[in-house]
Every structure is written in structure tokens, then in C-alpha cells.
Amino acid sequence: MYTHCVYTVCRVLGMSIGHTLLGLLESGPRHGYDLKRAFDEKFGHDRPLHYGQVYSTMSRLLKNGLVEVDGIEAGGGPERKRYAITDAGITDVEQWLATPEKPAEYLQSTLYTKVVLALLTHRDAGDILDNQRSEHLRSMRILTDRKRHGDLADQLVCDHALFHLEADLRWLELTAARLDKLRVEVAR
Amino acid sequence: MNAPAAPAGSLLTAEDLRKAYGPTVALDGAGFSIHPGEVVAVMGPSGSGKSTLLHCLAGIVPPDSGSIRYAGREMATMNDAERSSLRRSEFGFVFQFGQLVPELTCVENVALPLRLNGTSRKEAEKTALGWMQRLEVDDLAKKRPGEVSGGQGQRVAVARSLVTGPRVLFADEPTGALDSLNGERVMELLTDAARSTNAAVVLVTHEARVAAYSDREIVVRDGRSRDMERAV
Ligand SMILES: Nc1ncnc2c1ncn2[C@@H]1O[C@H](COP(=O)(O)OP(=O)(O)O)[C@@H](O)[C@H]1O
Ligand SMILES: [Mg+2]
């Protein structure tokens, strides 16, 4: 169901930073500063990460066994630590990518992140889009059914939600059509 | 990924369909299945092979290879007469543009499939009018297609597609030429009518709002299909 105010932008972003950093580690171990740079380059166009976010996220991932410290450069603060993803970390990314998002507002940044990460880690980004379409359609069927059996007020409320879901879906279709181009671009 | 094994009780099943038009591969191992009374949306980008899949399933276009079974019978083993009888009496069709015969009145258009099957004019038009009532276009009975709006014409076409009591209704972008209000009404009436007769509906559409009238969807991409329900 399409619901307002369930997710705020921050919450969605906050939830995906960990997975995004994990995904970036899949192609090989990286230092803290390198992770921040890669994140900002691929996903942080208008919202670069603070170092503080990187460290708090990495220490949570460490605690949960999803990453391990692979080395520490001499003379360094936390940005000099080198992190490597663990098997549990890879499984975690895998599950996150395979689980469609509940249709909600401000979804596109999470979906964009998933698609780019899938391409970066040589997974099937088309699958992510297909699964998400399916999840959206599930919501649209419920709304369509409610609309059919409801009064005019129901119809108007459902229509509003349906148009928003449809906008998401149009973005999904367009992205699906551009996957080949995007793959080339993210590989640069 | 594709060509799922025929599920029990399915009315129409296709496996590993391939079809090329010269160098263009339209279907590249597509599969499909539908149960009586089920509405299945066939989605996918333009040129992905949706219409070709529908034409193969309906016996209009023979696939180069692969299997299509209707009510347990392999379609490739039927002769032309059997296939065209199937299309006339077991299948119904609605396309993007109603394709009504302009010289006939609306009720004559709706009655036409019954007339072609040998039903008397009186009987055929009586049944036709019943279907036109259900599609809320009975007041147009005496008008010609040129005198009715796009939405009305499409409802007349839906009435015509259902008049023989088909077990499978094939609809290719049935609302593609309509605005959203008219498109929705056509979808409501079409799916209500199909459910009431337990007809299966193969609904080709690239529009999510139209696909939302289905029970489930398959996605066609580059001639390959993905059954979203069974894939999960
Ligand atoms: N009769 C035909 N002759 C030649 N090419 C065709 C014919 N029908 C379809 N194609 C080609 O096959 C592919 C699939 O077409 P189609 O099934 O119409 O796709 P869709 O309905 O998804 O838009 C396209 O590349 C199309 O150009
Ligand atoms: Mg088509």
C-alpha cells in the first residue's frame, strides 16, 4: 500500500547507507576515505557522506560481522582503516537487493542505489526492476479493487495513490530500457 | 526463468516458443499459462514480443518451434479448419482499434461472429443486444461505428468479442487508444464480463494501470517471458 509519511527521506537513506557501503566493498577491500569517495561519486551527487556517517556505519557493520578490518595504514585515524566484506556481508547485500521495496514516497533514491550497486557487482539489475514492478502491481491491484467497490471519495483517494505508483513504474521501465547504457557508465 | 512446466488445470499453455521474422527474433523461448477465469497481463516494452506471443497463443501465427496446448490438445497437430473453428467459437479478440465493420450497425457488428457460425439473424441480434446491455452500449445498437466515440466503439468491440461465449479472450492493448477514464471503464466492464462467464483473459498491455485489473502478470523482454508469480 502506498502510504504517506511512513518513510522520511532520512530514514530511507539511513537504511541504505550500510548496504551501499557493503556493496561497494564487494569488488575489493577499501579504506574509509576511499569508501566515502566512491559513495559520493556514485550515489552522493547532492548529499555527500560525512566522515562521521562512514565511521558509525562501518563500526555497526564490524559489530554485526558484515565487514572485517583488513589492515591499518600507519599514522592514521579511522579513515586509514581498510575494510573487507565478509561472507555474511555478501549474503546481506544479496538479500537486500533481492527484496523489493514497499511502495512508498521517496523510493527512487533507494531503487537507484540498488540498480547501480547491482550493476557494479555484476548482478542482474533487470531482476531488481522486475521484482519491484511486481511489488508495485500488487499494491495497484489492491487499490484498483478498492476503487471498483468504493464510492467516489474512495475512487479519488485510490486514484491519487495509483498515479503515484504509476509514476514509479514509468521510471522503472525507463531505467530498464537504459540498463545497458547505465552499466557502461557506472563501470567508468 | 522461462517455459514453466504446465501447471495443473491450465486451459492454455505454451512452452519454449520461438518465432523469427526473417532476421528479427520476436520470440526466443517464451512460455505462458492461464487457467479458466484468470486474467493474466502480458507486460513488457514495445517490440519485446507481446503481440507475437498473443498471436501464437491464439493460433493466428504458427511459432517456428515450441508447444502450445489448448484444453489438453497440441495446437500444431490441428489442421487449419480446426484452428479457425477454435478461433471462431472458443476464442474472442479485442484489439487496440475496435476493428468494427464500418458498413454494419453496432448491433450487427456484435452479432457478426454468431452469424458467421450459422446462427439466425434474429437469434444473433438478440444475444448481441444482451451483451451490449452488459457493456452499457445498447442504446447505440442502430448506430454505425463512425457515429460513436472511441470508448463506446471499444465497448462494442468487447461485446462482440464475448458474444460467442469464448473460453479465452485475447485483448491486445484494448485501451491503448482511449483516455484514462474511458480506458478504466472498458477494463472494468471487460473483466466483470469475463469473470461472470469464467473466460480466461490474455491481456497485453504496457500500462500498469491497465495491468492492475489482472490477477497476475508475465513480463516479456527480448522475446523471453518471465512469470512473476512462479519466479518468486
Ligand atoms: N509480421 C511481422 N513481420 C516482421 N517483423 C515483425 C512482425 N511482427 C512483429 N515483428 C517484429 O517482432 C518483434 C516483436 O514484435 P511484437 O510482437 O509486435 O512486439 P510488441 O507487441 O511487444 O510491441 C519486433 O521487433 C517487431 O518489429
Ligand atoms: Mg504489440
Side-chain angles (χ1 to χ4, degrees):
Chain A
M1 189 61 40
Y2 178 87
T3 44
H4 292 267
C5 312
V6 172
Y7 291 82
T8 64
V9 182
C10 289
R11 179 138 173 247
V12 170
L13 296 185
M15 279 175 22
S16 60
I17 289 174
H19 288 117
T20 311
L21 293 179
L22 270 180
L24 286 171
L25 282 175
E26 269 204 69
S27 47
R30 289 174 190 261
H31 289 95
Y33 58 81
D34 188 30
L35 268 176
K36 172 185 155 44
R37 192 189 46 73
F39 183 98
D40 290 349
E41 207 177 279
K42 304 280 186 207
F43 309 104
H45 302 296
D46 46 357
R47 45 182 171 92
L49 281 185
H50 305 298
Y51 272 113
Q53 285 175 290
V54 180
Y55 306 136
S56 60
T57 306
M58 293 319 289
S59 57
R60 179 168 57 79
L61 297 177
L62 263 174
K63 203 172 72 198
N64 294 339
L66 305 177
V67 298
E68 57 199 13
V69 175
D70 186 55
I72 303 178
E73 268 181 25
E79 75 273 18
R80 303 279 171 170
K81 271 187 191 163
R82 212 162 81 123
Y83 300 96
I85 193 166
T86 62
D87 287 347
I90 293 175
T91 308
D92 202 54
V93 176
E94 185 78 37
Q95 274 171 2
W96 180 63
L97 289 177
T99 310
E101 299 293 317
K102 287 271 166 280
E105 279 185 290
Y106 305 114
L107 196 51
Q108 130 285 343
S109 66
T110 306
L111 291 181
Y112 174 80
T113 303
K114 282 187 167 185
V115 168
V116 171
L117 263 187
L119 293 173
L120 280 173
T121 56
H122 307 289
R123 290 183 169 93
D124 191 338
D127 274 0
I128 293 177
L129 297 172
D130 281 350
N131 288 335
Q132 192 63 51
R133 183 203 296 98
S134 199
E135 187 71 21
H136 267 63
L137 271 177
R138 221 188 304 280
S139 296
M140 290 181 78
R141 285 191 182 100
I142 294 169
L143 288 163
T144 300
D145 198 54
R146 189 192 291 175
K147 198 170 92 168
R148 261 174 119 147
H149 301 107
D151 57 17
L152 189 56
D154 284 328
Q155 287 176 24
L156 291 174
V157 169
C158 291
D159 269 331
H160 183 263
L162 279 165
F163 278 120
H164 278 264
L165 289 167
E166 189 184 26
D168 279 354
L169 277 172
R170 291 172 79 153
W171 180 85
L172 287 174
E173 299 305 342
L174 209 62
T175 305
R178 290 171 170 164
L179 274 183
D180 288 340
K181 258 178 148 171
L182 189 60
R183 185 177 294 116
V184 173
E185 248 172 58
V186 300
R188 274 211 294 258
Chain B
M1 176 99 178
N2 48 36
S10 94
L11 178 61
L12 180 62
T13 310
E15 280 171 46
D16 202 19
L17 294 184
R18 284 162 207 281
K19 176 77 190 174
Y21 294 101
T24 308
V25 176
L27 293 180
D28 187 19
F32 184 84
S33 89
I34 193 166
H35 286 72
E38 204 179 19
V39 180
V40 178
V42 179
M43 303 189 74
S46 170
S48 58
K50 303 182 296 294
S51 293
T52 305
L53 176 61
L54 180 141
H55 292 150
C56 287
L57 291 171
I60 298 171
V61 163
D64 297 337
S65 68
S67 144
I68 304 168
R69 276 192 308 281
Y70 171 71
R73 282 193 66 199
E74 184 64 45
M75 239 188 249
T77 66
M78 301 179 193
N79 61 35
D80 284 351
E82 286 175 304
R83 266 196 299 273
S84 77
S85 139
L86 205 61
R87 285 198 300 272
R88 269 209 317 274
S89 45
E90 306 270 304
F91 296 168
F93 297 91
V94 189
F95 297 102
Q96 179 168 357
F97 300 99
Q99 295 179 331
L100 301 172
V101 182
E103 293 81 9
L104 300 180
T105 63
C106 287
V107 71
E108 286 167 345
N109 264 285
V110 176
L112 191 59
L114 292 173
R115 300 282 288 136
L116 293 174
N117 283 348
T119 310
S120 75
R121 182 191 185 95
K122 197 171 158 221
E123 187 71 17
E125 292 194 0
K126 190 173 149 227
T127 309
L129 209 56
W131 277 103
M132 291 180 81
Q133 265 161 13
R134 296 180 70 159
L135 273 298
E136 300 171 354
V137 284
D138 46 315
D139 52 327
L140 306 175
K142 296 292 175 215
K143 294 205 186 258
R144 286 178 209 283
E147 301 171 309
V148 308
S149 74
Q152 291 168 332
Q154 206 57 352
R155 287 195 230 166
V156 172
V158 173
R160 184 184 56 185
S161 72
L162 292 165
V163 78
T164 56
R167 294 180 69 194
V168 187
L169 178 61
F170 293 94
D172 194 346
E173 308 276 5
T175 63
L178 304 180
D179 61 41
S180 44
L181 210 55
N182 273 298
E184 269 171 34
R185 195 68 192 128
V186 165
M187 283 315 300
E188 274 173 22
L189 293 167
L190 185 154
T191 48
D192 278 346
R195 278 186 216 294
S196 72
T197 59
N198 206 32
V201 181
V202 182
L203 172 65
V204 168
T205 182
H206 65 277
E207 284 181 82
R209 284 165 65 82
V210 174
Y213 286 88
S214 68
D215 299 311
R216 63 184 174 87
E217 79 277 10
I218 72 155
V219 178
V220 182
R221 186 163 293 138
D222 298 330
R224 281 180 294 272
S225 60
R226 181 165 182 213
D227 187 325
M228 291 316 294
E229 189 164 80
R230 257 170 290 256
V232 181

